[in-house]
Amino acid sequence: MKTTSLTRLILVMLVVACGSAALLGFVYEITKAPIQKANDEKELAAISGVILEEFNNNPFKERTLIPGKHKGQLTLYPARKDGKIKAVAIKTSSDKAFGGKIELIVGFFLDGTISGYQIISSKETPGLGSKVSDAKFSEQFIGIRPKKKTFKVKQDGGEIDAVTAATISSRAVIDAIQKAYDAYHKFSTRM
């Protein structure tokens, strides 16, 4: 009698587990495309926000992978006006953020000068690390080239004012932008 109850319990648990797995798989397949579309729209909005030059192509459709200086590849989005590249945006990231990985889109003029950046994914602490998105911090980067400036926070001997109480997040943004700049510099020599 105990064996029959145990067998029945195991069978019920197996059916529930298989049903739950099938339901999760079904929900994943249904939501995968809308989530990807929302992420693509967020990236496209960020690209438009950091490219200050006028362009008439769809940089998102012309994206290309470029090798990063470190491991991995970055995504480059060319902004063209009448077929000629006017500026680029690069999707980059850093694993050095306080909350883990931070992803951003960085815009560059053709001479390598930063036109701006926008955070597209972050798990930074609201009210602290999330302030790396604020204009007070992000506007420091506009118009500079990382190689021509001491590209570190002031606490590390650089010229960038870190976000108060969020130095780690500030360093992560600088790390990600440096990766994008290094990849762009390497890529631009081939253009």
Side-chain angles (χ1 to χ4, degrees), residues 63-128:
R63 66 184 177 250
T64 184
L65 294 177
I66 58 174
K69 183 177 180 182
H70 310 284
K71 59 184 179 181
Q73 294 183 321
L74 305 178
T75 306
L76 180 135
Y77 304 91
R80 300 176 191 273
K81 175 75 174 178
D82 301 326
K84 185 176 179 185
I85 294 179
K86 294 294 187 179
V88 299
I90 297 178
K91 181 179 177 183
T92 183
S93 66
S94 176
D95 293 325
K96 297 179 181 180
F98 185 77
K101 187 175 185 176
I102 188 168
E103 291 183 313
L104 48 147
I105 301 282
V106 184
F108 293 99
F109 295 108
L110 290 184
D111 66 356
T113 303
I114 297 170
S115 60
Y117 76 84
Q118 288 192 12
I119 308 273
I120 56 172
S121 174
S122 170
K123 293 184 174 99
E124 298 304 280
T125 308
L128 288 176

Side-chain angles (χ1 to χ4, degrees), residues 2-3 5 34 40 43 56 58 76 79 119 122 127 138 188:
K2 286 186 176 184
T3 307
S5 296
D40 290 350
E43 281 186 33
N56 56 12
N58 183 342
L76 180 135
I119 308 273
S122 170
S138 65
S188 68

Side-chain angles (χ1 to χ4, degrees), residues 27-49:
V27 169
Y28 171 77
E29 285 302 318
I30 288 175
T31 59
K32 183 169 69 171
I35 289 171
Q36 184 62 49
K37 183 180 179 193
N39 289 339
D40 290 350
E41 287 172 358
K42 187 175 184 178
E43 281 186 33
L44 190 54
I47 292 165
S48 296

